Amino acid sequence: MEENTVMERQLPFEIKAYQEELLRRQLKYLSEHSPFYKRIFEQHGIDIKSINTIEDLSRIPTTTKNDVQTFNADFFCVSKEEIIDYCSTSGTLGKPVTFGLTDADLERLAYNEMRSFRSMGVQKGDLVQLMTTMDRRFMAGLAYFLGLRKLNAGVLRIGSGVPQMQWDSILQHEPRFLIAVPSFLLKMIEYAEQQQIDYSSSSVEGVLCIGESLRDASFNDNALARRIKEKWPIKLFSTYASTEMGAAFTECDAFMGGHLHEDLIITEVLDENEQPVADGQPGELVVTPLGIQGVPLLRFKTGDIVRRHSEPCACGRQTYRIGPVEGRKQHMIKYKGTTLFPPAMHDLLAEFPDLEHHLIEITHNSIGTDEITIYISALQPSEQVLQRVKDLFRAKLRVAPTVEWRSSQELQKIIFNPMSRKPITFVDRRNTSY
Ligand SMILES: [Zn+2]
């Protein structure tokens, strides 16, 4: 794939026309090679020659995670001999979903991340420390490695965890950038303070932050980003990607959402009735990756709620940007005319360093609307803290949840469930009988 830095600076209508040309190619490819989409086109009487614009896409049914899981093999467009790398994601029905990448797909992935790194200022000759795993069939770590290689940047593959090993490598090799989960940076800071490592004058200038949001819907730093930057004033670039998309949206140094890579993916942002929402409004991200050979998807519903921003960016790129993921569609809470998602509530609770734990519970009340209950614990519970939590929710999110103290032990039992790899801080009881 040729490097494309010209197109992203063309006018938006030119970018759109270019994407539509790629879309027509993609539809032709799917109609010839994809058992799943051949069937969809046939069942719905869709003549792909009549789909010429991004707007025309609405005539094709969307693809869900369940579709990809149930008919996984039918999404493969090439024979097994052509697959170089196998990636998998956890599916909604328990069994992992498999994706196969051809040699060209790996090249496309490298190109995608090369552009991401460029937008955050990584250059040929820079050294970057990779603080995430490359194995276990995850796509991300491999993609970063391939992208840096294509950019001719150096890579230090440390993997996740172990602050001591991370610091040893930083002090010895002096990388300019890191790729890390942002909450792990707090552990790095804590370790550096214990060991009296002068982290603020280290070689690190910026971090590609994966897996967690750094900003709210208006691009203000959330509590996590602020806690890191208060101690360690480095640039934190957010990136959003998934195996299904095979493309990343990575922030430039304007920090106003991740830019589209126009030759790799088409996006739609849709409401509950699958109608497009206006730019700047929240909706579900639906993606059509371009140029994938192995397992290409068409109008795939990500379940992620985002906003698209199309006003010009300070960096000069004309491509639109995708704002932070505000939540998962199935976790949407409707509260007296307000729509909100758990991450915004977690962010707000992170403003209270005195709280040890919190648990958000959503229930349906007798009149069929959602109720929010927040259980909190602290070393010294007080009425004042409880009131401040309530006040902040009313002021910032315009909701009045029930807030109650619980003992630490009681919350820990639910939060650190041995059956779950991740802490459970959100419980949705709306679809159960109690
Ligand atoms: Zn920009």
Side-chain angles (χ1 to χ4, degrees):
M1 203 162 235
E2 283 309 303
E3 193 186 331
N4 188 341
T5 50
V6 180
M7 188 48 74
E8 66 184 2
R9 288 167 201 272
Q10 304 291 306
L11 293 170
F13 80 89
E14 293 170 304
I15 293 173
K16 182 170 181 283
Y18 173 62
Q19 288 205 297
E20 289 171 344
E21 186 192 312
L22 299 177
L23 173 63
R24 290 189 287 272
R25 257 187 254 171
Q26 185 71 20
L27 289 168
K28 186 166 180 291
Y29 181 82
L30 290 170
S31 71
E32 288 166 0
H33 300 280
S34 170
F36 181 84
Y37 290 111
K38 267 189 219 175
R39 201 159 66 222
I40 290 285
F41 297 153
E42 215 173 272
Q43 279 171 358
H44 294 265
I46 295 163
D47 175 10
I48 54 150
K49 289 199 188 74
S50 71
I51 312 287
N52 290 300
T53 65
I54 292 172
E55 291 77 11
D56 292 342
L57 274 175
S58 65
R59 307 216 300 264
I60 302 173
T62 52
T63 302
T64 63
K65 274 180 202 264
N66 280 356
D67 292 331
V68 187
Q69 182 146 28
T70 309
F71 306 105
N72 202 174
D74 290 348
F75 282 89
F76 278 68
C77 292
V78 297
S79 65
K80 279 190 174 164
E81 294 72 43
E82 289 179 74
I83 304 287
I84 307 285
D85 189 68
Y86 286 88
C87 293
S88 62
T89 60
S90 52
T92 43
L93 309 171
K95 212 173 60 178
V97 179
T98 302
F99 287 78
L101 283 81
T102 66
D103 190 50
D105 289 340
L106 287 169
E107 187 56 32
R108 178 186 170 283
L109 203 59
Y111 164 79
N112 167 58
E113 287 303 336
M114 180 185 74
R115 278 187 68 175
S116 282
F117 287 120
R118 280 254 168 85
S119 73
M120 60 182 277
V122 183
Q123 294 169 359
K124 179 181 176 179
D126 280 337
L127 193 51
V128 182
Q129 184 152 314
L130 179 58
M131 298 166 58
T132 182
T133 179
M134 278 185 72
D135 56 11
R136 296 169 63 189
R137 287 192 283 157
F138 286 142
M139 183 185 274
L142 178 70
Y144 301 134
F145 175 81
L146 294 171
L148 290 167
R149 179 186 178 206
K150 194 170 176 63
L151 187 56
N152 269 305
V155 194
L156 298 160
R157 290 177 294 111
I158 309 296
S160 57
V162 204
Q164 184 192 340
M165 207 194 298
Q166 305 289 356
W167 278 118
D168 286 350
S169 174
I170 292 170
L171 297 174
Q172 186 186 347
H173 299 288
E174 305 191 325
R176 232 185 118 201
F177 295 95
L178 309 176
I179 302 166
V181 175
S183 56
F184 184 68
L185 296 174
L186 290 171
K187 293 214 170 71
M188 293 274 292
I189 292 169
E190 195 184 301
Y191 181 86
E193 283 175 344
Q194 285 162 4
Q195 303 294 319
Q196 280 145 21
I197 295 169
D198 181 11
Y199 57 91
S200 60
S201 58
S202 79
S203 59
V204 178
E205 291 172 28
V207 185
L208 183 70
C209 292
I210 58 179
E212 294 165 334
S213 278
L214 296 171
R215 284 168 247 293
D216 64 18
S218 320
F219 301 120
N220 299 307
D221 282 353
N222 63 18
L224 174 62
R226 286 203 309 274
R227 275 170 67 198
I228 297 165
K229 289 205 273 192
E230 270 162 23
K231 297 250 177 172
W232 197 8
I234 45 180
K235 288 182 181 174
L236 303 177
F237 297 87
S238 204
T239 189
Y240 163 60
S242 71
T243 306
E244 293 92 342
M245 298 198 289
F249 296 88
T250 305
E251 288 183 329
C252 63
D253 55 17
F255 305 107
M256 300 283 275
H259 278 281
L260 165 83
H261 296 156
E262 72 292 325
D263 44 358
L264 299 183
I265 195 163
I266 285 171
T267 71
E268 300 167 83
V269 183
L270 305 182
D271 67 14
E272 283 166 273
N273 303 314
E274 298 200 346
Q275 296 303 305
V277 301
D279 281 357
Q281 292 302 311
E284 181 178 9
L285 183 71
V286 175
V287 296
T288 299
L290 299 167
I292 291 182
Q293 287 183 343
V295 185
L297 302 179
L298 176 59
R299 299 199 84 212
F300 174 73
K301 296 179 90 170
T302 63
D304 291 331
I305 302 294
V306 301
R307 292 168 207 248
R308 189 157 74 185
H309 299 271
S310 48
E311 63 277 22
C313 184
C315 73
R317 290 178 182 86
Q318 296 279 352
T319 46
Y320 61 76
R321 290 151 286 128
I322 298 292
V325 175
E326 292 172 38
R328 298 282 303 157
K329 192 183 164 204
Q330 75 257 36
H331 293 158
M332 183 194 283
I333 300 154
K334 295 207 160 186
Y335 185 90
K336 295 174 186 166
T338 302
T339 300
L340 81 160
F341 294 93
M345 298 197 279
H346 292 306
D347 278 353
L348 219 58
L349 288 159
E351 305 280 341
F352 297 90
D354 295 344
L355 296 185
E356 280 183 319
H357 300 294
H358 73 260
L359 179 72
I360 298 168
E361 186 182 77
I362 309 300
T363 50
H364 255 328
N365 63 20
S366 54
I367 52 164
T369 59
D370 295 341
E371 285 291 333
I372 308 167
T373 309
I374 299 169
Y375 301 106
I376 51 177
S377 72
L379 281 176
Q380 288 163 317
S382 73
E383 191 53 41
Q384 287 93 315
V385 173
L386 195 85
Q387 196 54 48
R388 272 172 43 221
V389 171
K390 284 184 178 180
D391 289 347
L392 199 66
F393 269 80
R394 206 166 300 137
K396 290 268 175 85
L397 297 177
R398 282 167 292 152
V399 295
T402 306
V403 186
E404 291 176 12
W405 287 111
R406 286 287 184 273
S407 75
S408 239
Q409 295 94 305
E410 200 179 329
L411 291 187
Q412 275 177 15
K413 252 189 255 165
I414 304 168
I415 296 170
F416 303 106
N417 184 327
M419 300 299 285
S420 168
R421 266 179 57 227
K422 290 177 181 172
I424 297 168
T425 51
F426 174 74
V427 180
D428 195 339
R429 299 205 189 281
R430 289 175 294 185
N431 295 322
T432 52
S433 50
Y434 49 93

